[in-house]
Amino acid sequence: MGLTRQYLRYEPAALFGLVASARAGVAFVALRGERGRYVAVPACAHVFVWDSRKGEKVLILKGLKQQVSSLCPSPDGLHLAVGYEDGAICVFNLLSGELTITFNGHRAAVTALQYDHLGGRLVSGSKDTEVIVWDVINESGLYRLRGHKDVITQVLFLKEKNLLVTCAKDTLVKWWDLDTQHCFKTLVGHRAEVWGMALLSKETRLITGSTDSELRVWDLTYIQEVKDPDEPESKKSKGSPSPGAEENTEEDETLEVDEHPEERIVKCSKVGSIMREGRDRVVTLGTDRMGKFLACHGTDAVLEVFSVLSEEEIQNKLEKKMKKARKKAKQNSEEEPKRSVELSLQEEIQRVTNVKASSKIKSFDLILSPKGELKMVLLLQNNVIELYNLDLSAQMPQAVRVSRITIGGHRSDVRTLAFSSDNIAILSAAAESVKIWNRSTLQCIRTMECEYALCSLFIPGDRQVIIGTKTGKLQLYELASGSLIETLDAHDGAVWSIALSPDQHGFVTGGADKCVKFWEFELVKDESSVQKRLSMKHVRILQMDEDVLCVRYSPNQKLLAVSLLDCTVKVFYVDTLKFFLSLYGHKLPVLCMDICYDGTLIATGSADRNVKIWGLDFGDCHRSLFAHDDSVMYLQFVPKSHLFFTAGKDRKIKQWDADKFEHIQTLEGHHQEVWCLALSPNGDYVVSASHDKSLRLWERTREPLILEEEREMQQEAEYEESVAKEEQPVVAGERQGETGLAGKKTIETIKAAERIMEAIELYREETAKQKEHNAICKAAGKEVPFPVNPILRAYGNITPSAYVLEVFKKVKSSELEESLLVLPFSYVPDLLRLLNEYIQQGSDVELLCRALLFLLKIHFGQITSNQMLVTVIENLKKTTISRVSEARDVLGFNMAGLQFLKREIEAKDEVTFFADATERFEEKKRKRKKKEKMVLAML
């Protein structure tokens, strides 16, 4: 059977109309050497980096299919970690925009990400209630921490100590010792979900936000154990408490340590609360990078900003208070004030201002500029990014909005789309505006304010557009000036549908007032100018028994199809308005329909999830197709064909063949309900609009689409999904406790294991052939040429063992452990022998030792009970120790060299600094003397 060119594939061409998705956070990123100018925001499956000054998109970090759920820039500003809905984490390079590392460990959406202060480790929390610590430098997972019972909401590394703090919706805040991977403390002082937390005052204070208007403040005291061999364990001294904490006697401390062994590392005590003005839950709670400012917001449009006093400022305030107290005591003829002077919590953490945004805030980020201004970026619910500056030098600091990124999209969901007749312009209309887009550049060329739009069309000539609104009005706009020319009260209810007549002299509208109205275009004299302008004239009306949901003309303009709320479609003659056919069979109302180019077929899409194809000659139902998993929202035929597209609330767009009743292709990309779509008049482009605020453009390629191949690809995708959902392999001897392996079984790890198995099998075959060949040569007494395996020849005539090493190196670092975990034990003995050979050669010692130790851990019982492997293990012990010692020596030498260079550079910098300071001092001295001379001369 030859290839058919009947079907051509539609591919995603662009995503536009989206400023930012409200699913994840917003973050300032350092780009082109500037901080506080560029902002990274989630945009469905991608991440957009916006220039806040120019309002331009400067970088797109492209994801695959899943929606972005979390963002975190690295401390050096060179990388951005992005968490996705499927649990994957990608690390992008901000200089090149390329994906550098991928981590797979979570089974659900990543909800929290945080780098440590050096950027070497990354911690992630997820909806699967687990926390994973990743090694960014080695590109691998370190360990998984279990303990929470609900979604993780925030994770924080502590700079000074190797500790981690996590909070979740299970009302708990947990402290983890990363040296032992153990939860040593759990805070249970919350009665509801903990939605956010932040560390302040050099990590001596923790602030948590819950479902009420109270921000709870906790004092942290880090306890340093003194390791004295003569002192008993129970009496090891503790570090001094923080200034605000009460000092305990030695006896109390001893009792406390014995009763609460977790308090040997950190002591956490509640010191009070800061009251927010918002009454709802905390959505985001965060600080700037220096920890000088704290901000939080709820589900409303107000961001509350607080300043945190430094130790010096606290000391100065205390001194001032002490002076006042002494003065008062002196006046009352007392020697000393009766009670010690202390600062209240409200004095240490002071409210600065409230920032009122234009809509509900979803996320924010703060940065303190070198000029002393606090820059704030707010990601709003309505597809807007706002930037505010707070001048801290002012007596009453007020936030000033400096920029607003809005032009790239609508504030609400797009409910109607239309293409111009020349395939160049796209119209999109929402609840507040109509936008005209250039299809090739995807730039918004016109924005016009309107009422809540439900349907639209380009008037022939593409110079004007008509919008049907929810209030029953028809609004006529001129594109050249972007102005509203005319508004007509067309219906008493919503105008649900509008259709242009095939002769292009008029159009028809259907509304919620049970009327179908016919309109004609006419030229009327404009009062403001000499020229005539286009207008609309109502000519006829067709009264129906139910609300009209959709109207469509047949191409020859003989018939008019009307979809009603009673689940039927009535067909009338256009000239006499006499009833012709009734199409009934749908269980729920028909929301959309279309008639093909030759007028023989009508396809109807309903809220009952079915699409029915009918003949227009007799009204017979040719086929009923189960099209979507939710309501079918829009349906349109491809021009000059019997193929049609449907859009559904199940987030999918599907293409169908109305002659063969076959599903051709599914266009996936939207992350929420698809409301509408439009096909270009030449059929080369499809544009769709969704509840995720994005508009997507799909382009018809020249690539033929074969249905059998499409079905196979779909089955493969389903298999890959099922593999990811399978239960994870269990490591022998490992208990399901607090910790576990960081990675998870994916289709990539299975493929990597298969490649290692194939390489080992090739090594076995080639080794056996080589022995055979050597025996033949020995028997023949002469050298016989050995046939080289084509795979080895492709790698440059390398040995079979070198080929196994090449395959091993190509396994991603983050997938190594999981790939070895699914490797059958029958391949392990050969792999251990090869590892011994490679380590002796001194190649990739770190990688090979990591693999070796993991194999020994998971197959310990079988390896130790196998007599054949005793010598192999003995050899591995010797070679590994010697090679690792060599690597350690090289590393130590390099570290010492780098430290020496660091000291040299610091010494040079100090000399330069003091030289500069001396010069400045001398300059000031000269200026002062000059000024004194001038004053004397004047006197």
Side-chain angles (χ1 to χ4, degrees):
M1 190 178 91
L3 289 179
T4 173
R5 293 186 63 85
Q6 184 182 7
Y7 307 130
L8 293 175
R9 188 182 295 280
Y10 281 81
E11 291 284 353
L15 177 141
F16 63 107
L18 184 65
V19 176
S21 300
R23 294 281 295 172
V26 60
F28 279 113
V29 291
L31 208 65
R32 299 167 188 173
E34 285 192 66
R35 279 189 184 273
R37 177 174 175 178
Y38 299 99
V39 178
V41 293
C44 290
H46 310 312
V47 174
F48 290 165
V49 179
W50 291 90
D51 182 343
S52 62
R53 210 172 289 167
K54 294 180 180 177
E56 292 175 358
K57 209 182 294 172
V58 291
L59 186 64
I60 299 174
L61 307 175
K62 290 193 174 177
L64 295 172
K65 286 184 180 178
Q66 296 294 330
Q67 202 167 2
V68 174
S69 60
S70 187
L71 289 180
C72 181
S74 64
D76 59 6
L78 298 176
H79 296 91
L80 184 72
V82 183
Y84 293 89
E85 285 283 325
D86 62 346
I89 299 165
C90 295
V91 180
F92 290 91
N93 186 323
L94 286 171
L95 299 175
S96 61
E98 290 177 359
L99 173 65
T100 54
I101 309 167
T102 304
F103 294 129
N104 277 302
H106 291 293
R107 293 186 298 277
V110 178
T111 52
L113 282 172
Q114 189 71 38
Y115 276 96
D116 67 356
H117 69 289
L118 294 172
R121 289 179 300 174
L122 177 71
V123 63
S124 60
S126 166
K127 277 187 179 176
D128 62 9
T129 75
E130 294 177 345
V131 176
I132 301 179
V133 181
W134 307 92
D135 185 341
V136 177
I137 296 159
N138 199 26
E139 299 182 12
S140 62
L142 294 174
Y143 36 81
R144 184 188 299 266
L145 302 172
R146 304 186 186 97
H148 283 290
K149 299 287 185 285
D150 210 333
V151 179
I152 310 292
T153 52
Q154 181 66 287
V155 285
L156 294 171
F157 273 112
L158 271 75
K159 286 181 190 174
E160 304 301 323
K161 308 273 181 181
N162 194 23
L163 303 178
L164 179 72
V165 196
T166 61
C167 65
K169 285 166 73 175
D170 59 3
T171 77
L172 303 178
V173 176
K174 284 183 176 284
W175 293 77
W176 306 83
D177 184 352
L178 297 183
D179 292 326
T180 59
Q181 293 115 51
H182 166 65
C183 174
F184 65 87
K185 189 175 185 66
T186 302
L187 276 185
V188 290
H190 302 88
R191 294 183 181 180
E193 297 98 330
V194 184
W195 286 99
M197 61 180 177
L199 287 163
L200 300 173
S201 308
K202 294 182 180 176
E203 298 180 347
T204 59
R205 199 156 261 178
L206 178 74
I207 294 196
T208 56
S210 187
T211 53
D212 50 15
S213 56
E214 189 181 341
L215 294 179
R216 291 164 180 81
V217 184
W218 311 78
D219 255 351
L220 309 178
T221 312
Y222 300 105
I223 296 148
Q224 296 167 358
E225 293 187 3
V226 180
K227 292 188 178 177
D228 186 354
D230 299 328
E231 194 178 9
E233 185 69 29
S234 61
K235 288 196 175 185
K236 285 185 180 176
S237 63
K238 291 169 69 177
S240 59
S242 63
E246 291 180 8
E247 291 187 12
N248 295 324
T249 61
E250 195 178 348
E251 281 181 25
D252 290 344
E253 283 183 11
T254 309
L255 283 168
E256 199 170 72
V257 170
D258 284 337
E259 288 176 9
H260 308 285
E262 74 274 4
E263 293 195 345
R264 291 179 184 176
I265 300 172
V266 67
K267 185 180 176 185
C268 195
S269 54
K270 190 177 176 185
V271 289
S273 298
I274 300 164
M275 300 309 292
R276 298 189 301 119
E277 287 184 3
R279 294 275 168 246
D280 46 6
R281 76 171 178 89
V282 170
V283 175
T284 319
L285 174 69
T287 63
D288 67 318
R289 284 175 179 83
M290 308 298 289
K292 289 183 179 180
F293 291 91
L294 170 78
C296 65
H297 70 88
T299 53
D300 53 6
V302 178
L303 180 75
E304 299 179 44
V305 184
F306 302 87
S307 72
V308 183
L309 297 188
S310 63
E311 283 181 12
E312 288 177 16
E313 289 168 331
I314 289 171
Q315 205 60 41
N316 292 340
K317 275 212 165 194
L318 278 171
E319 282 173 12
K320 282 180 184 177
K321 269 201 160 189
M322 199 67 194
K323 275 182 187 177
K324 280 184 182 178
R326 280 179 187 149
K327 200 175 178 182
K328 202 172 183 183
K330 205 173 182 183
Q331 285 172 359
N332 298 337
S333 66
E334 292 175 13
E335 288 182 11
E336 281 292 321
K338 286 181 180 177
R339 57 192 178 85
S340 61
V341 175
E342 287 182 3
L343 284 184
S344 68
L345 194 62
Q346 280 68 27
E347 286 175 311
E348 288 185 40
I349 302 170
Q350 298 173 341
R351 184 182 295 277
V352 179
T353 188
N354 285 357
V355 182
K356 182 80 169 72
S358 59
S359 181
K360 282 185 181 178
I361 303 170
K362 282 293 179 182
S363 177
F364 72 90
D365 196 16
L366 309 174
I367 194 166
L368 196 60
S369 70
K371 295 175 184 177
E373 281 186 330
L374 184 67
K375 293 188 174 184
M376 298 169 279
V377 61
L378 307 181
L379 171 57
L380 307 184
Q381 191 184 30
N382 63 343
N383 202 19
V384 172
I385 302 167
E386 290 185 343
L387 273 100
Y388 291 84
N389 275 6
L390 191 64
D391 187 6
L392 302 168
S393 59
Q395 188 70 31
M396 295 285 287
Q398 287 296 322
V400 180
R401 192 169 76 196
V402 288
S403 66
R404 192 167 185 253
I405 302 169
T406 59
I407 190 92
H410 289 275
R411 306 287 73 77
S412 54
D413 292 2
V414 171
R415 301 309 296 253
T416 175
L417 290 164
F419 256 103
S420 63
S421 59
D422 57 4
N423 311 293
I424 290 173
I426 298 169
L427 176 149
S428 65
E432 80 299 324
S433 64
V434 181
K435 286 182 182 284
I436 308 295
W437 308 82
N438 183 316
R439 179 192 50 76
S440 54
T441 63
L442 302 175
Q443 294 298 312
C444 177
I445 51 179
R446 280 284 178 278
T447 301
M448 300 161 285
E449 287 186 9
C450 72
E451 292 186 23
Y452 199 119
L454 292 175
C455 54
S456 61
L457 61 82
F458 274 93
I459 290 173
D462 298 333
R463 292 184 181 183
Q464 294 92 7
V465 292
I466 296 174
I467 304 293
T469 71
K470 201 173 183 178
T471 54
K473 292 174 184 172
L474 286 177
Q475 295 183 308
L476 179 64
Y477 292 89
E478 188 176 33
L479 296 185
S481 61
S483 58
L484 176 65
I485 305 171
E486 190 178 356
T487 302
L488 288 177
D489 290 319
H491 292 266
D492 293 334
V495 183
W496 286 116
S497 183
I498 188 168
L500 186 70
S501 62
D503 62 5
Q504 300 191 339
H505 291 165
F507 60 94
V508 63
T509 58
D513 59 353
K514 305 178 183 179
C515 292
V516 177
K517 293 189 178 181
F518 295 83
W519 307 80
E520 282 183 0
F521 299 122
E522 63 173 356
L523 291 169
V524 296
K525 197 167 184 182
D526 197 357
E527 294 171 5
S528 57
S529 65
V530 182
Q531 291 181 337
K532 288 186 176 181
R533 66 165 180 83
L534 191 76
S535 180
M536 305 166 283
K537 184 174 72 173
H538 178 222
V539 287
R540 286 192 296 173
I541 186 168
L542 175 62
Q543 190 66 43
M544 307 302 294
D545 297 329
E546 295 284 344
D547 289 14
V548 179
L549 298 178
C550 189
V551 289
R552 286 290 179 269
Y553 273 114
S554 65
N556 58 10
Q557 209 171 327
K558 283 187 178 177
L559 302 172
L560 176 74
V562 181
S563 159
L564 302 174
L565 199 61
D566 63 0
C567 312
T568 63
V569 175
K570 301 276 196 295
V571 184
F572 298 89
Y573 290 105
V574 174
D575 50 1
T576 60
L577 297 184
K578 282 187 178 177
F579 174 73
F580 172 50
L581 290 171
S582 179
L583 312 176
Y584 54 90
H586 282 291
K587 295 181 179 69
L588 290 168
V590 175
L591 304 176
C592 52
M593 61 182 176
D594 200 16
I595 299 172
C596 67
Y597 76 104
D598 55 9
T600 55
L601 299 173
I602 179 170
T604 57
S606 166
D608 64 8
R609 304 178 288 178
N610 290 309
V611 167
K612 291 184 187 287
I613 300 162
W614 317 75
L616 260 184
D617 298 334
F618 307 105
D620 54 325
C621 180
H622 290 185
R623 185 67 63 94
S624 182
L625 304 167
F626 181 74
H628 291 271
D629 295 328
D630 209 331
S631 301
V632 183
M633 298 304 295
Y634 209 86
L635 186 151
Q636 192 173 347
F637 272 98
V638 177
K640 297 177 182 174
S641 76
H642 282 185
L643 309 179
F644 64 91
F645 279 93
T646 58
K649 274 191 178 179
D650 61 354
R651 311 173 184 187
K652 292 174 185 172
I653 298 163
K654 294 185 179 181
Q655 189 184 16
W656 307 83
D657 187 340
D659 291 330
K660 295 182 178 177
F661 317 120
E662 281 189 311
H663 170 224
I664 302 164
Q665 190 185 359
T666 302
L667 305 179
E668 291 188 50
H670 284 295
H671 299 284
Q672 298 289 333
E673 300 94 325
V674 183
W675 296 127
C676 54
L677 60 83
L679 272 107
S680 61
N682 60 7
D684 284 345
Y685 299 97
V686 179
V687 64
S688 56
S690 165
H691 184 48
D692 61 16
K693 300 281 194 303
S694 70
L695 300 174
R696 287 179 184 266
L697 187 68
W698 316 80
E699 187 176 1
R700 183 162 61 187
T701 60
R702 300 299 107 193
E703 180 194 346
L705 188 147
I706 295 115
L707 293 180
E708 288 76 13
E709 284 182 10
E710 198 69 14
R711 304 285 179 271
E712 283 173 18
M713 283 164 66
Q714 198 173 341
Q715 284 172 359
E716 278 177 26
E718 285 171 6
Y719 167 69
E720 287 180 13
E721 272 184 35
S722 67
V723 164
K725 287 174 185 173
E726 282 176 11
E727 284 193 14
Q728 299 299 306
V730 179
V731 181
E734 189 179 272
R735 289 185 298 125
Q736 285 291 313
E738 279 186 330
T739 59
L741 288 174
K744 73 169 182 181
K745 181 178 163 187
T746 62
I747 196 71
E748 282 80 20
T749 60
I750 292 169
K751 285 176 181 175
E754 284 172 355
R755 285 196 295 272
I756 294 169
M757 286 156 62
E758 285 166 10
I760 292 170
E761 279 171 5
L762 186 138
Y763 164 75
R764 286 173 179 171
E765 287 169 14
E766 290 301 309
T767 310
K769 281 182 189 174
Q770 187 70 50
K771 282 181 183 174
E772 244 178 78
H773 177 73
N774 292 344
I776 291 165
C777 291
K778 200 173 181 181
K782 60 176 182 177
E783 193 67 37
V784 180
F786 180 70
V788 181
N789 189 298
I791 296 172
L792 300 178
R793 189 181 288 129
Y795 275 82
N797 285 338
I798 59 172
T799 61
S801 61
Y803 171 68
V804 177
L805 180 61
E806 284 298 315
V807 170
F808 207 77
K809 279 184 191 172
K810 284 181 180 175
V811 177
K812 282 184 184 175
S813 182
S814 58
E815 294 168 1
L816 181 64
E817 278 85 0
E818 286 297 324
S819 302
L820 293 173
L821 196 57
V822 295
L823 192 73
F825 181 74
S826 57
Y827 293 91
V828 172
D830 286 320
L831 191 54
L832 289 173
R833 292 185 186 96
L834 287 166
L835 288 174
N836 186 29
E837 186 186 321
Y838 302 146
I839 292 169
Q840 277 178 340
Q841 292 165 7
S843 57
D844 296 291
V845 175
E846 191 186 341
L847 171 73
L848 298 173
C849 285
R850 186 178 144 205
L852 171 64
L853 293 172
F854 186 73
L855 285 171
L856 290 173
K857 180 185 172 185
I858 60 174
H859 297 297
F860 181 77
Q862 286 170 294
I863 290 170
T864 49
S865 61
N866 191 332
Q867 293 295 319
M868 305 284 287
L869 292 173
V870 172
T871 52
V872 177
I873 297 297
E874 284 294 326
N875 292 336
L876 272 167
K877 185 182 171 184
K878 291 173 191 171
T879 52
T880 306
I881 290 169
S882 64
R883 288 296 176 189
V884 169
S885 299
E886 283 174 24
R888 194 185 290 155
D889 292 343
V890 171
L891 196 66
F893 180 81
N894 290 343
M895 284 289 287
L898 287 167
Q899 281 169 358
F900 172 74
L901 288 170
K902 184 186 174 187
R903 284 196 299 272
E904 288 285 304
I905 291 162
E906 280 175 355
K908 280 180 186 175
D909 286 349
E910 276 177 21
V911 170
T912 314
F913 172 76
F914 283 119
D916 288 348
T918 311
E919 275 179 28
R920 283 199 297 273
F921 181 70
E922 292 294 333
E923 184 68 30
K924 278 183 182 178
K925 207 173 178 181
R926 280 197 295 272
K927 282 182 179 176
R928 193 164 62 246
K929 279 184 179 178
K930 199 175 178 182
K931 199 174 180 182
E932 282 172 4
K933 279 179 184 177
M934 284 175 71
V935 170
L936 286 167
M938 284 171 72
L939 287 168

